[in-house]
Amino acid sequence: MSTGGDDATGGRGRRRAEWMARAQDGDREAYRALLDDVRPLVLAWLRRWLDDEADLADVYQDTLVHLHRARHTYDPARPFEPWLFALARHCAADHGRRLRQRTREVLVGDVPDVAVEGEPAQPALADALRTLPRPQREAFSMLKLEGLSVAAAASRAGTTPGALKVRAHRAYKALKAFLRS
Amino acid sequence: MSEPGWERRLVDRLVADAHPVRRLWSPEVRLVVWLAIAVAVLIAPATRVLRDDLVLRLRNPAFVLEQGLMLVGAVFLGLEAVRAAVPGQGAGRASTIVGWGALGLALIWMLREPVHGGWSVDTFLDVGRPCIWRAVAWGAVPWIVLLIALRRGAPLARRRAGVLAGAATWALVCPALRVCCQTDELLHLSVFHALPLVAGAALSAALAPILLAESHAR
């Protein structure tokens, strides 16, 4: 037995499918109605994976462009949402890949120029830390010396938790290699 | 999040560009069309060079089973390939398992033939050269046709779509090679029949990110 909520959801889904079918036929009003209607849906879905507003805006924009380019592949006989979320998921994953790539490039290219606050007790570790690029050193210091959470450290560094974790991971690897040598 | 100006401008631009598009045919229809083209392309050259003992071989259930499994693999992997070009119609677990399973069984079954120990390397290569040539020439058109069919969609996982397209194509070519090639020998079948299939799938996967990039609504 379906509930009122299910009916409402089913009704919205059918309406979106209908708008999309009309958009495929070139109906601009239906297309605008659809793009306006899916906005909160896509943003809410993307928020589950992205907490940075700039990233969210980027991926949302990508999703709209992909939706537009792939609109001929939608089959009006099938539900609209799985098709839409497949595009959104692809855009989010693509963005994640690009972000990791960018983070790697930044870390490789960065040169340490500022001493860290809060020196560690062991001199060997302090020496090792000085050899790290600044973003990695900051990530390590905030997480391990100051004891901040990943979210708080990412917020202070002005980056995403994912990128901060990558920096910290690289710092651990570099420190381990330095201390071993 | 309130709607920023860039977003309104983007929506306006997309709406302005919303010309009518031709809907993609269903994956099943596209598969049938591809199979029809591929079989038509394969039949013409294959029937000219059929093996002399084909009638005898077709009475052998093991030979028929091997070709049957290969064709089942080609059909299911082809179906998965065309599905991969439609967002949200991701991997059908059952058809993927059937496709790869049938292909794997067919290869194992094909490689049960005995080894011929008395060939020199030159003889081995001479015997195999026509098979390699046929594998490349006969597979090229069906593979390109399938890639064009995929490009008409919007393949999101391009490498996956590529490996499926390559495997489906050369799984279809394999039975055509078998009904033309006189040599039922393990090393020959491994190098000149099975290897082109694996290489075709790998090459297709490697080229897919480039060949399947950027498809637009038509």
Side-chain angles (χ1 to χ4, degrees):
Chain A
M1 201 175 83
S2 69
T3 64
D6 290 340
D7 286 344
T9 309
R12 272 201 296 273
R14 275 193 296 279
R15 201 174 56 215
R16 287 182 192 127
E18 206 179 292
W19 277 332
M20 189 66 200
R22 282 166 50 194
Q24 288 175 322
D25 295 333
D27 183 336
R28 291 192 165 88
E29 286 313 305
Y31 195 35
R32 184 180 293 280
L34 175 79
L35 294 180
D36 288 342
D37 187 63
V38 298
R39 181 178 186 271
L41 187 73
V42 174
L43 285 173
W45 192 85
L46 289 175
R47 260 183 230 284
R48 288 159 53 188
W49 316 103
L50 304 161
D51 46 12
D52 182 275
E53 287 298 315
D55 289 343
L56 190 71
D58 276 355
V59 177
Y60 176 61
Q61 186 176 353
D62 272 358
T63 306
L64 287 191
V65 172
H66 271 78
L67 180 153
H68 184 70
R69 284 183 178 164
R71 67 192 189 281
H72 64 298
T73 65
Y74 173 65
D75 176 0
R78 299 173 75 98
F80 175 74
E81 287 76 10
W83 181 84
L84 174 69
F85 290 141
L87 291 171
R89 192 184 309 117
H90 169 74
C91 293
D94 212 30
H95 182 81
R97 267 193 299 273
R98 280 203 306 268
L99 192 69
R100 279 194 295 278
Q101 179 70 27
R102 213 162 46 216
T103 306
R104 200 157 42 231
E105 283 164 5
V106 168
L107 291 178
V108 169
D110 214 348
V111 179
D113 52 358
V114 175
V116 286
E117 291 174 13
E119 291 284 354
Q122 298 91 336
L125 183 57
D127 288 344
L129 269 175
R130 283 193 198 98
T131 66
L132 295 179
R134 196 175 67 181
Q136 289 183 25
R137 197 169 60 226
E138 282 177 355
F140 181 86
S141 299
M142 286 189 289
L143 293 179
K144 293 296 166 190
L145 302 180
E146 295 181 47
L148 293 182
S149 68
V150 173
S155 163
R156 192 198 281 181
T159 186
T160 62
L164 190 98
K165 279 188 202 166
V166 171
R167 289 177 191 179
H169 177 69
R170 287 181 180 274
Y172 303 150
K173 272 175 71 178
L175 287 175
K176 216 164 131 185
F178 183 90
L179 292 173
R180 256 192 208 142
S181 69
Chain B
M1 191 163 95
S2 63
E3 188 178 284
W6 65 261
E7 196 184 311
R8 183 45 44 197
R9 283 193 296 277
L10 175 64
V11 168
D12 287 345
R13 200 153 49 87
L14 297 181
V15 168
D17 186 48
H19 54 83
V21 288
R22 205 172 73 201
R23 286 189 194 108
L24 213 58
W25 293 341
S26 75
E28 291 77 13
V29 172
R30 283 185 298 144
L31 173 73
V32 169
V33 171
W34 174 69
L35 283 173
I37 294 171
V39 168
V41 166
L42 288 173
I43 276 184
T47 48
R48 287 191 199 154
V49 283
L50 290 175
R51 58 192 293 167
D52 299 334
D53 62 347
L54 181 61
V55 177
L56 200 67
R57 292 295 277 162
L58 287 176
R59 287 195 193 126
N60 179 351
F63 183 82
V64 175
L65 178 68
E66 177 197 314
Q67 310 323 314
L69 282 171
M70 203 63 94
L71 291 175
V72 168
V75 168
F76 278 87
L77 294 176
L79 179 62
E80 278 309 302
V82 290
R83 273 188 186 157
V86 182
Q89 286 203 18
R93 188 180 289 264
S95 57
T96 305
I97 291 171
V98 172
W100 287 117
L103 188 60
L105 280 175
L107 285 174
I108 292 168
W109 199 249
M110 182 166 83
L111 301 180
R112 80 201 181 286
E113 301 285 357
V115 180
H116 188 301
W119 281 350
S120 68
V121 174
D122 285 346
T123 311
F124 178 71
L125 293 177
D126 282 345
V127 170
R129 201 166 288 128
C131 294
I132 281 287
W133 165 240
R134 285 171 195 157
V136 174
W138 295 357
V141 173
W143 179 62
I144 290 169
V145 169
L146 189 50
L147 286 185
I148 291 171
L150 296 187
R151 268 187 69 86
R152 289 197 63 81
L156 300 179
R158 294 183 192 125
R159 217 174 275 282
R160 180 175 176 276
V163 77
L164 288 166
T169 299
W170 275 279
L172 209 56
V173 170
C174 254
L177 288 178
R178 284 288 269 155
V179 298
C180 297
C181 174
Q182 305 281 353
T183 314
D184 298 317
E185 194 268 340
L186 178 67
L187 287 178
H188 173 85
L189 292 173
S190 306
V191 175
F192 300 111
H193 291 225
L195 198 60
L197 193 160
V198 176
L203 185 73
S204 183
L207 294 177
I210 303 161
L211 299 175
L212 298 179
E214 283 305 304
S215 56
H216 298 274
R218 288 160 179 88

